[in-house]
Amino acid sequence: MIEKETTEKIEIEIKTKNDLNDQDQEVNKDNMSDQDKTMKGLGEKWPEPIIRVQSLAESNLTTVPDRFIKPPSQRPNETIAINHQPETAAINIPVIDLSSVLSGNQEDKERISEACREFGFFQVINHGVRPELMAAAREAWRSFFHLPVEAKEAYSNSPSTYEGYGSRLGVEKGALLDWNDYYFLNFLPLVLKDVNKWPSLPSNIREVVDEYGEELVKLGERLMRILSSNLGVNEEQLQEAFGGEDFGACMRVNYYPKCPRPELALGLSPHSDPGGITILLPDDQVAGLQVRHGDMWITVNALPNAFVVNLGDQMQILSNSIYKSSEHRVIVNSQKERVSLAFFYNPKSDIPIQPLEQLVSSTNPPLYPPMSYDQYRLFIRTHGPRGKSYVESHVSLVNG
């Protein structure tokens, strides 16, 4: 009874703050077209009062509210035994020395190719981004999430303005929720970059995030050339398919509070990323990211000063399924919070994405019809994480 009353009190307080924010704040616009915003009912308000997961975590609950409890088949405890079988314990995503690849080491270049075809994931070390900058970015965001709730609510987002401080994906009423809060912001195209939508506290966060974004864009460009070459096409081919210089870049910072019953909840439900490349700065002190490999969930052992790179659905489409986007999820922890920074390197939002011509032939027909990234990502903004259901249904449009 106490836990229910505490949860209801938090929901009432948050609803009041959100109502005030709706009245006081100017609505921010992102790069979804007006047509996309009206499709599927995306509007200026979430379907229910927003529950800040951090507020729940700090209210001394001994369990999690029903809205966060996953069905038994989706709970992380269902796969613990599998993950610890001796024959699979050593399996993990490949670690690549990027400086070696860029200096012409063909063996390491081939290892990236194999990782893209088998896992859709790999870690990169010696990638050219300063460790000091990586640490500063992570700690600046950790400090943001530790601010008083009023300071964070000033940046709360909405379904049509995903940019800002949020706590849910998808607009389906009554949907099960994930145990995380987040902050989403845009870098590219420059017309969307508005630092006034970024937090002003801690005092160094805008400067750090700006420099971090610039370095991650450079890293994304380097990775695109390698991935393109490994497909046997011109080094610039994938970048051109993304729109050349008119590609998109954005970031989602994930905050996973301590969870009183981590065996019942997930920090992020299984999904494949809808975009091009994700460059993740994980929390190397607290494990959480799991990648699906066959019928197993592999917990990624994040190395210090490394990035985890994974391919999104757009890369699977462009490569005509030579490369794969993999399902992944995040488990939570009862003892420690986690902070991770996911940087998305994406196609221009309104150009058709389809398999590269060089990878299509009479014996290897295109598996995917053309579709813009704007149309594609609307699915996850409407429904939230749903495994690989959308990319699989996209295939069925051709083969069905």
Side-chain angles (χ1 to χ4, degrees):
M1 177 63 71
I2 294 175
E3 290 171 2
K4 181 178 180 181
E5 290 175 352
T6 302
T7 303
E8 289 176 346
K9 180 180 179 182
I10 291 170
E11 290 181 2
I12 292 170
E13 290 176 350
I14 291 171
K15 184 179 188 302
T16 302
K17 289 185 177 75
N18 286 347
D19 288 343
L20 291 173
N21 285 336
D22 288 339
Q23 296 170 13
D24 295 340
Q25 290 184 41
E26 178 180 353
V27 175
N28 299 323
K29 301 298 180 184
D30 69 3
N31 59 335
M32 294 188 70
S33 67
D34 291 337
Q35 179 183 5
D36 284 339
K37 289 175 185 176
T38 56
M39 287 172 63
K40 305 287 186 180
L42 292 185
E44 305 304 339
K45 291 187 177 182
W46 296 102
E48 298 121 343
I50 290 297
I51 303 172
R52 299 301 182 198
V53 179
Q54 186 175 7
S55 296
L56 289 174
E58 293 172 353
S59 64
N60 297 319
L61 295 177
T62 58
T63 189
V64 295
D66 290 346
R67 292 290 303 279
F68 295 90
I69 297 177
K70 301 297 182 183
S73 63
Q74 296 179 22
R75 296 174 192 171
N77 63 329
E78 295 296 316
T79 61
I80 288 175
I82 297 176
N83 283 345
H84 287 82
Q85 289 179 0
E87 64 268 25
T88 64
I91 296 178
N92 215 293
I93 65 173
V95 178
I96 310 293
D97 184 337
L98 198 62
S99 65
S100 174
V101 177
L102 295 173
S103 65
N105 187 309
Q106 288 299 121
E107 183 178 346
D108 282 339
K109 184 181 177 184
E110 180 58 31
R111 290 183 65 228
I112 288 185
S113 180
E114 292 174 358
C116 292
R117 295 162 189 256
E118 180 180 357
F119 287 92
F121 271 81
F122 54 94
Q123 287 193 73
V124 289
I125 58 175
N126 298 324
H127 40 65
V129 181
R130 293 182 294 109
E132 298 83 4
L133 178 59
M134 299 166 69
R138 185 194 291 115
E139 292 313 307
W141 282 109
R142 191 186 302 275
S143 295
F144 168 79
F145 283 103
H146 287 171
L147 291 173
V149 64
E150 293 80 7
K152 293 176 291 192
E153 289 293 348
Y155 297 96
S156 60
N157 69 356
S158 71
S160 67
T161 61
Y162 192 54
E163 190 166 26
Y165 174 53
S167 297
R168 67 174 292 166
L169 288 170
V171 295
E172 291 186 340
K173 191 170 184 178
L176 292 180
L177 303 177
D178 291 332
W179 193 261
N180 80 78
D181 296 326
Y182 66 86
Y183 202 105
F184 182 90
L185 49 83
N186 290 309
F187 286 97
L188 292 173
L190 287 175
V191 68
L192 297 178
K193 182 180 178 181
D194 183 355
V195 296
N196 292 319
K197 296 178 183 178
W198 303 3
S200 58
L201 293 173
S203 59
N204 68 333
I205 192 167
R206 291 182 177 177
E207 178 183 355
V208 169
V209 169
D210 196 36
E211 182 181 358
Y212 182 82
E214 290 178 359
E215 291 301 311
L216 269 288
V217 166
K218 294 175 186 176
L219 176 56
E221 291 171 345
R222 293 193 289 270
L223 290 168
M224 289 285 280
R225 288 193 290 271
I226 295 168
L227 298 179
S228 196
S229 177
N230 278 343
L231 286 173
V233 298
N234 185 286
E235 277 192 350
E236 304 301 323
Q237 195 69 48
L238 284 174
Q239 188 67 51
E240 291 173 3
F242 269 37
E245 296 182 357
D246 295 327
F247 61 96
C250 52
M251 183 166 72
R252 173 178 157 133
V253 184
N254 304 295
Y255 179 77
Y256 304 101
K258 297 176 187 178
C259 181
R261 296 290 303 277
E263 75 278 8
L264 299 179
L266 286 172
L268 197 54
S269 294
H271 68 287
S272 58
D273 291 348
I277 302 175
T278 303
I279 305 173
L280 177 74
L281 176 58
D283 192 325
D284 58 15
Q285 300 299 309
V286 187
L289 175 63
Q290 293 187 325
V291 177
R292 188 174 185 86
H293 186 65
D295 60 355
M296 296 181 299
W297 286 104
I298 300 170
T299 301
V300 174
N301 300 321
L303 299 178
N305 304 321
F307 286 110
V308 175
V309 178
N310 70 281
L311 306 187
D313 293 341
Q314 304 304 301
M315 197 62 73
Q316 178 169 317
I317 291 169
L318 284 166
S319 71
N320 208 28
S321 281
I322 294 174
Y323 291 160
K324 66 182 294 185
S325 62
S326 290
E327 266 189 276
H328 49 287
R329 69 182 187 182
V330 176
I331 57 175
V332 286
N333 192 292
S334 62
Q335 303 299 317
K336 297 179 180 180
E337 66 180 18
R338 291 184 67 249
V339 176
S340 67
L341 282 61
F343 189 89
F344 305 105
Y345 192 101
N346 293 328
K348 188 174 183 291
S349 63
D350 60 355
I351 60 174
I353 300 297
Q354 58 189 318
L356 297 176
E357 290 183 5
Q358 298 92 326
L359 305 180
V360 171
S361 66
S362 58
T363 57
N364 189 34
L367 298 177
Y368 308 91
M371 180 178 289
S372 75
Y373 178 50
D374 251 359
Q375 294 171 302
Y376 194 92
R377 68 177 177 169
L378 185 62
F379 178 84
I380 196 168
R381 291 196 175 190
T382 303
H383 302 286
R386 292 286 180 87
K388 290 196 66 173
S389 60
Y390 196 52
V391 73
E392 289 169 353
S393 67
H394 197 31
V395 173
S396 71
L397 292 175
V398 174
N399 296 335

